[in-house]
Amino acid sequence: MLMEFANQVQQLTHKKVADYLTQTQLFKDSLRVHPQRPKFDILYGSTMVEVEVLPWEVHPWETADLAIVRATSCVTIGSSLACDLLKFLLLENRRMRFGAFHIDEAGQVLFAESVLGGENMDLMELQTCILSVVTIADTYDDIIAARFGGQRGIDRTSVDI
């Protein structure tokens, strides 16, 4: 089955991301490419990062086809989603220079950051995006698990790899 793209910009961005990730010393040895989806998994140190190339469908320009690259890491699983944790995540989001914490449908704490894709996508910006997600997830997984319970995302992910 061939990979399908919403637009040519998403396809171009996927190719640029794939070329970069498969050739860079930082990521190529721990990279898993999804053959039927515009998605990559990277195990960097003790952090798993998902890198997705997504169409940007609702944006301020009427005639442009756009794409984004989103890097996401599961920080914790099973943490208590009480007000204390949610307040903590909101306050920490305010301190973040890149990216933000999220809660997914399963109640996992995630950290994600995005960059604009396309012909002019800056590879240093892509690298910074991925490494920022790695750094924040690796720093905060222990803090959140200790204060709010649950387990680090990598503890569950490493079993599934």
Side-chain angles (χ1 to χ4, degrees), residues 27-45:
F27 306 122
K28 72 178 186 177
D29 294 333
S30 63
L31 178 67
R32 180 173 53 188
V33 178
H34 291 255
Q36 297 177 358
R37 294 177 33 197
K39 180 179 172 188
F40 309 87
D41 295 329
I42 302 167
L43 182 60
Y44 190 88

Side-chain angles (χ1 to χ4, degrees), residues 96-157:
M96 294 298 144
R97 299 298 181 253
F98 302 102
F101 287 102
H102 306 268
I103 304 292
D104 72 2
E105 297 81 9
Q108 300 176 115
V109 176
L110 309 173
F111 189 81
E113 180 182 348
S114 300
V115 296
L116 186 61
E119 188 175 316
N120 296 317
M121 181 177 68
D122 183 307
L123 294 179
M124 179 58 85
E125 191 174 286
L126 174 63
Q127 178 180 323
T128 302
C129 171
I130 295 167
L131 291 176
S132 294
V133 170
V134 166
T135 302
I136 296 300
D138 189 45
T139 299
Y140 279 83
D141 60 358
D142 293 322
I143 295 168
I144 293 171
R147 284 183 63 183
F148 305 102
Q151 65 184 116
R152 300 177 316 155
I154 192 63
D155 293 335
R156 191 191 117 246
T157 305

Side-chain angles (χ1 to χ4, degrees), residues 55-68 116:
W56 187 12
E57 295 158 341
V58 180
H59 54 73
W61 298 276
E62 291 182 28
T63 60
D65 286 334
L66 298 172
I68 62 166
L116 186 61

Side-chain angles (χ1 to χ4, degrees), residues 16 55 69 71 77 86:
K16 286 182 76 168
V69 180
I77 299 161
L86 301 179

